[in-house]
Structures are given as structure tokens and as C-alpha cells.
Amino acid sequence: MAETIKCISGMEPQAILAKQQYPNGISQSMFSVFDKCKDKKRMIAPTLLKGVTIAKLWESIFSNSSDFLKRYHERRKETEVEVGKWVYLNEMGSGYRTVSLLTVVDIPKVGSVTQLNEVHRFSYTISSSGAVLLLYHISSQTPNVPAGQSFRTEAFLEITAESLNGDCTICVWGGCKKMSMAFAAIQYMAVPRAIREMTNGYRLMLQMISEDLLGDAVKVATEDEDANGDGQKDGKDAEYGGADGGGDGGYQAPGMVFQGLMLMLAIVVTISILCSISTLRSTAQISTMISSQLVDGGMQGGASRSSLSGNLNLHHSTGVGTARGPITQDQALRYAARDAQIQSLRYRWIEQRVTVQKLESTVARLWWMNVLQLVFMVLLLMKTFFF
């Protein structure tokens, strides 16, 4: 039995999706609002499917009776694909379903197989001018990889047509959503990699859709290629290979040499930080020694001979018979200035003694923290290449 989705008029797609109710295990927090997703990137430029309406696209590709998603994931060499049935809402104008599979990732090491959980939802609307829009939203997460629960990837498929019977155009957006502060440590590495992998994946999806519905692969351009005016070569000659599945069907992960270079760079940076902290520690020790000498040095042997009071009272400490010349005015001024400077330094170092002690404790903590970081880097390097 054919599944015919129906347009909803008078409402925006996001307003419809925002009101959807989900069972346990699915929630609104798993999805971002398309218009408010600041970090989204247009991965696939608008691609026209001539002679294909939105209704035909849905029935052939996304409906419960279609096996397209299973064939798509098999093409990408993903296994144990479980595609749930649609739960239709708003008289088949919107709905949701779940998809789970095993995919191959390169974290923690190349070729790791991990669970990928997806939730799909859609809304189908028609405007007052007769233009129709099918918004297909996919939220994905790999909870078993390191920091996998700290973010999710999202894809937005905007499928538009000028009328119900008009040719449809597909545009794909994607992005990563931070779910915890742990993602801040990996976002600059994870986001470009995720966008690149999703771009390759959805380009393959559009090529397979055109092969199924048009008999041949259309030219699918990514956003960067479209901005540069470079057309994408035919799908049969594209990165994923032809319809016989000769391509690799997935994201080309960086090689082990690249990962090794990145780890070695991290180790070099860690060693540099350790050396810098060692220098700070030595400086703090020297500062403490100088402080102690300035504060306590004058109390160990009485008055200094270079001070004004020491020179004036010198004859009392050396005996009556010792010859003593008169002190000139210039000498007295120099001795007085030196006494004032030493006293000022003493007071200043007394005030800064607490600060120096705090600096010592901070440097000690940083030292051990970087030692642990270096050990972690070495263990990660050994795990990547030897285990």
C-alpha cells in the first residue's frame, strides 16, 4: 500500500516539529531549531531532480515500504542496519522514526566499529503561493566513542518544489551541536571531520537517489564546489565509485602517519611546557632566596658596615684605640640613601612573600599535571600503533 504524505497549510515547518510529542528515548532536546542553528553549514548545493515530485521522492526513498536506506548504508559498508517504522502525526503531515546501525570510525583507532543511533523526523507544508517544502531532519550520535556523548551531528534536508506536481530540489545542511563542556577540547578537530564525512555521505545519497529515480547519477556539487563554480563530476566517476559499489562508500579517514604526526606534535608541545614550568620553578626559588636574604640578612651580624649607623658607631665596636677618620657629608648622604633603599626593598619583599609562595605551589601543581599529560600522550600513542 502506497504511503502518501499530506501537506499542512498555514504553519511553518519548524513550528510543526516543535509541537511534536515523542515517546521515551526521544525528546525535543535531541534536535536543534533550523533557523537558530548558528554553526550549520550548507554541505550540498541545491540539486534539481527533473521529473521527480516530492510525493514520488517520498514513496520511493523515505517511505516504510522503501529499502533505500538499507541499500545506502550497505553501499557505505555499514552493518546491522535497523530502520524503524514511521510514526505519522498531523494526518501524515509530519512524523518520526529511529534508525540504528554499526559504522566504522577512526577514533580511538582506524577501523573501529561503533554504534550509530539516529532519529529522523519530517514536516511537509504548503505555502499560500502553492510552493511546497519537505523538511527532513536527522539527529545522529555515536555514544560509544571517546567524548561521543558530548556532541551530536545533525543534517537538514530541504526539499522544495514550486507546486505539488513540480520538480523537486534538494539542499542539505549539516552541523555539530555541543551537548557538554567536554566537546570544547575536541571541537576544532571533530567539527571539520564530521562535516567532511557528512558531505561525502549525503553526496552519495543524492547520487543513489538520482540513479534510482532518473536512471543515471546527476551532478551533485558540494557547497565549496558550487561557490568556486566547479561542477562535480558524474556520480559514477565520483569518490564513492559506480553503482556496482566499487568505491569505498565512506569517509576516507586520515592515515596512521597523519595521526602519528599529530601525537608527536602534542608531545613536543607538552615537553616545551614542562621546560617552561621548570624555568618558572627555578625563578621562584631564586626569588625566595633573595627575599630571605633581604629580610634576614641585616639581623645576622649586627649593623652593616656600609650603612650610615654602622659607620657612625664603628669606634664602639672596634675599640678605643682604633683610628677613625671623619665622615664627609657626601659619604653620609650615600650611606643614608643606601639604607633607605635597602629598607624599602625589605618591606616590598615582605609584602610579596605570600605571592611568591602561591606561585611556588601553582608551579608545582602545573608540573605534575603536565607529567600526567605526557604519560597520557605516550599511552595513547602506544594504543594507536601497537594495540
Side-chain angles (χ1 to χ4, degrees):
M1 180 179 179
E3 297 179 22
T4 304
I5 55 176
K6 299 180 180 179
C7 291
I8 301 175
S9 60
M11 294 186 67
E12 293 294 328
Q14 286 297 335
I16 297 172
L17 295 177
K19 294 181 179 180
Q20 284 192 170
Q21 300 295 323
Y22 302 101
N24 293 334
I26 305 176
S27 65
Q28 283 286 356
S29 62
M30 299 176 66
F31 301 95
S32 300
V33 179
F34 177 76
D35 297 333
K36 297 181 180 180
C37 187
K38 299 179 180 179
D39 298 329
K40 67 178 181 293
K41 171 181 172 58
R42 193 168 75 170
M43 301 183 297
I44 303 296
T47 303
L48 176 64
L49 301 179
K50 293 183 179 180
V52 179
T53 64
I54 292 181
K56 181 180 179 180
L57 177 70
W58 179 269
E59 182 179 352
S60 303
I61 304 301
F62 300 119
S63 66
N64 287 328
S65 59
S66 173
D67 65 343
F68 174 80
L69 281 183
K70 289 188 176 181
R71 291 189 290 109
Y72 164 71
H73 289 297
E74 288 175 359
R75 180 82 165 266
R76 286 173 54 87
K77 299 181 180 179
E78 294 165 336
T79 59
E80 298 187 19
V81 181
E82 296 290 339
V83 181
K85 297 294 184 180
W86 283 107
V87 177
Y88 289 108
L89 304 171
N90 297 309
E91 299 180 353
M92 298 189 70
S94 65
Y96 63 89
R97 70 176 174 187
T98 59
V99 177
S100 64
L101 52 98
L102 292 181
T103 187
V104 178
V105 296
D106 59 337
I107 297 175
K109 63 180 180 179
V110 176
S112 300
V113 179
T114 188
Q115 181 76 23
L116 175 65
N117 300 324
E118 295 183 346
V119 180
H120 298 203
R121 66 177 185 174
F122 80 94
S123 63
Y124 188 32
T125 59
I126 184 170
S127 65
S128 57
S129 63
V132 290
L133 168 62
L134 173 62
L135 182 60
Y136 197 102
H137 190 178
I138 302 175
S139 176
S140 308
Q141 193 173 22
T142 52
N144 297 329
V145 302
Q149 295 182 344
S150 65
F151 73 102
R152 66 173 181 264
T153 58
E154 296 185 68
F156 303 88
L157 281 71
E158 282 188 309
I159 307 171
T160 58
E162 295 181 355
S163 64
L164 290 172
N165 298 320
D167 299 340
C168 66
T169 300
I170 303 178
C171 179
V172 184
W173 299 74
C176 292
K177 175 66 175 179
K178 180 173 67 175
M179 300 175 64
S180 70
M181 293 303 297
F183 184 59
I186 63 170
Q187 62 179 346
Y188 297 106
M189 178 179 63
V191 172
R193 179 176 296 179
I195 294 296
R196 185 166 59 248
E197 182 176 353
M198 286 195 296
T199 300
N200 292 335
Y202 286 104
R203 179 163 59 185
L204 172 64
M205 177 181 286
L206 263 65
Q207 290 168 0
M208 292 182 62
I209 289 174
S210 64
E211 290 173 0
D212 287 358
L213 301 181
L214 303 178
D216 195 5
V218 299
K219 294 181 179 180
V220 180
T222 64
E223 174 63 15
D224 295 335
E225 293 167 344
D226 185 65
N228 295 330
D230 298 330
Q232 172 66 23
K233 59 183 178 179
D234 289 344
K236 290 184 178 179
D237 299 326
E239 178 181 356
Y240 291 97
D244 58 353
D248 60 1
Y251 162 64
Q252 295 292 333
M256 295 181 66
V257 175
F258 175 77
Q259 292 190 2
L261 291 175
M262 294 299 293
L263 287 174
M264 292 301 297
L265 178 61
I267 292 175
V268 170
V269 172
T270 303
I271 294 175
S272 301
I273 294 175
L274 286 173
C275 294
S276 300
I277 291 178
S278 178
T279 303
L280 287 174
R281 193 174 186 179
S282 300
T283 303
Q285 292 175 351
I286 294 173
S287 300
T288 304
M289 181 181 64
I290 295 174
S291 175
S292 300
Q293 290 179 352
L294 287 174
V295 174
D296 303 328
M299 301 179 181
Q300 295 177 357
S304 173
R305 289 180 177 270
S306 62
S307 65
L308 178 61
S309 60
N311 281 275
L312 291 175
N313 299 321
L314 184 61
H315 65 279
H316 294 295
S317 60
T318 56
V320 179
T322 303
R324 172 66 176 167
I327 298 177
T328 64
Q329 184 178 5
D330 291 340
Q331 290 176 333
L333 290 175
R334 284 199 300 269
Y335 291 145
R338 188 176 301 172
D339 282 347
Q341 184 178 11
I342 292 175
Q343 193 67 20
S344 175
L345 288 174
R346 285 177 181 173
Y347 289 141
R348 187 176 301 173
W349 277 107
I350 289 173
E351 293 174 354
Q352 294 183 355
R353 176 179 290 181
V354 177
T355 304
V356 171
Q357 291 175 348
K358 290 182 179 179
L359 176 62
E360 285 183 326
S361 61
T362 302
V363 169
R365 287 195 298 269
L366 288 174
W367 174 271
W368 287 111
M369 183 184 70
N370 281 273
V371 168
L372 294 176
Q373 183 180 355
L374 179 60
V375 172
F376 174 77
M377 290 294 180
V378 173
L379 293 177
L380 183 60
L381 181 64
M382 295 176 62
K383 179 177 177 60
T384 302
F385 291 97
F386 301 105
F387 298 99

